[in-house]
Amino acid sequence: MKKFAKWVRGSRPFNHLATATVKTLFGARSEFAVKHLPRTGEVKSRLPNGRVLRLTSRGDDWVSNQVFWREWHGYEPETSPVFFRLAESARVVLDVGAHVGYYAVLAAHANPASAVYAFEPMPASFERLRRNVELNSLTNVRCVNKAVGERDGEAEIYHPATEVPVGATLSKELKRQLPEMETSLVSVVSIDSFVRAEMLETVDLVKIDTETTEAEVLRGMAETLKRFRPSVVCEFWTGPASAHAEVFAPLGYRCYALARGGPRPYDGTAAEGNNYLFTTRELADFSG
């Protein structure tokens, strides 16, 4: 009976009628609906520059569901508006841990003249990423079916046993904490080697979300940071103090904790969603 109810909830005609009706009546005020009535099919939202962000889902994607209920900035609302502002002037953007491609698509729409590289190692998530790029008719996004780490090679990646897994990680420590996670073998590339191979002349913006291996990603892009000084939006579960001291501060970066009220200079207090911005740019360039 539970499986049948789930099937009915996800069936396209019923789902579209139910979600549209509830959204019209309550908007996103019904947290129960947002959590238990995920939208299937295409969702779309108009961006500040007039372009339309489109994502597709089978009711298995929290990102698309947030966009449907809360509009384009409803997913990670402390981070997405800042990222969009930075992406508007970015010529080359790297989305590390792209998942279904929300930030890659957002960057490509923010500046259609940019080149966006989206890295995603998990096969099902990668296919959804490609589908979302196609759905938006974007020609400035290249999807790279690899994980990103400190050095090139192969590694075991650990992930939930779901169709489009959230939380895939190269971290052996996280695997020990969550032994029920499944294991797959993936190709790994460092940002420095990728930048050299592609002969990129600049990197202006990087988003990193690799579920606790962000420090390894940063070590693998030391040359890129020194050469181009890109702004970096990065998730840290335990705070960014170590990375800022060791990697960013010597290069003249400032650290901001991302919050719904706007970026604030990092003072040791955890950011909403554990997302931080490292940049050499002035606050006025990406806030407000």
Side-chain angles (χ1 to χ4, degrees), residues 16-277:
H16 280 207
L17 177 61
T19 52
T21 300
V22 173
K23 184 177 180 180
T24 299
L25 293 174
F26 303 105
R29 295 190 303 275
S30 174
E31 290 295 332
F32 181 87
V34 174
K35 184 176 181 179
H36 297 286
L37 191 57
R39 177 78 165 189
T40 62
E42 180 181 327
V43 304
K44 57 185 179 180
S45 180
R46 190 166 297 278
L47 298 170
N49 60 1
R51 294 173 68 95
V52 177
L53 170 73
R54 290 180 168 86
L55 299 172
T56 187
S57 175
R58 290 194 284 184
D60 55 359
D61 169 18
W62 181 246
V63 179
S64 298
N65 193 51
Q66 291 294 299
V67 171
F68 172 75
W69 288 103
R70 308 183 197 275
E71 298 302 330
W72 73 271
H73 46 68
Y75 176 69
E76 296 192 340
E78 75 288 346
T79 303
S80 49
V82 173
F83 181 85
F84 186 87
R85 287 285 300 274
L86 290 166
E88 287 180 306
S89 58
R91 293 159 293 176
V92 175
V93 180
L94 309 181
D95 183 358
V96 178
H99 190 42
V100 299
Y102 169 76
Y103 280 108
V105 170
L106 195 63
H109 276 310
N111 182 5
S114 67
V116 180
Y117 298 87
F119 299 83
E120 174 51 51
M122 298 304 299
S125 300
F126 183 75
E127 286 307 311
R128 188 69 58 84
L129 161 66
R130 289 179 56 181
R131 175 68 185 123
N132 284 328
V133 170
E134 293 171 359
L135 185 64
N136 286 270
S137 301
L138 296 169
T139 59
N140 59 329
V141 179
R142 177 178 164 189
C143 302
V144 183
N145 190 200
K146 293 184 177 184
V148 176
E150 186 172 356
R151 58 184 63 88
D152 296 0
E154 290 186 327
E156 290 184 332
I157 193 167
Y158 313 108
H159 54 90
T162 55
E163 186 172 354
V164 183
V166 176
T169 179
L170 298 178
S171 169
K172 290 182 172 61
E173 177 59 33
L174 198 57
K175 167 63 174 175
R176 284 192 286 270
Q177 296 176 27
L178 301 169
E180 70 277 9
M181 296 177 79
E182 296 187 346
T183 302
S184 302
L185 188 67
V186 296
S187 296
V188 182
V189 65
S190 74
I191 291 300
D192 283 344
S193 67
F194 183 84
V195 168
R196 288 193 297 268
E198 296 296 318
M199 294 183 289
L200 298 183
E201 296 181 355
T202 187
V203 175
D204 302 305
L205 177 60
V206 183
K207 186 230 85 182
I208 306 173
D209 184 354
T210 57
E211 305 298 330
T212 77
T213 63
E214 289 79 11
E216 287 87 341
V217 174
L218 291 171
R219 285 196 291 270
M221 61 182 292
E223 179 183 316
T224 300
L225 289 171
K226 291 177 182 177
R227 184 179 176 191
F228 300 123
R229 301 292 202 277
S231 295
V232 179
V233 174
C234 189
E235 179 185 69
F236 280 103
W237 287 16
T238 57
S242 177
H244 183 242
E246 295 174 14
V247 178
F248 291 107
L251 300 177
Y253 278 78
R254 293 177 292 276
C255 179
Y256 296 89
L258 299 180
R260 297 193 189 201
R264 57 175 174 77
Y266 178 63
D267 60 2
T269 306
E272 295 178 33
N274 298 316
N275 285 317
Y276 301 85
L277 170 65

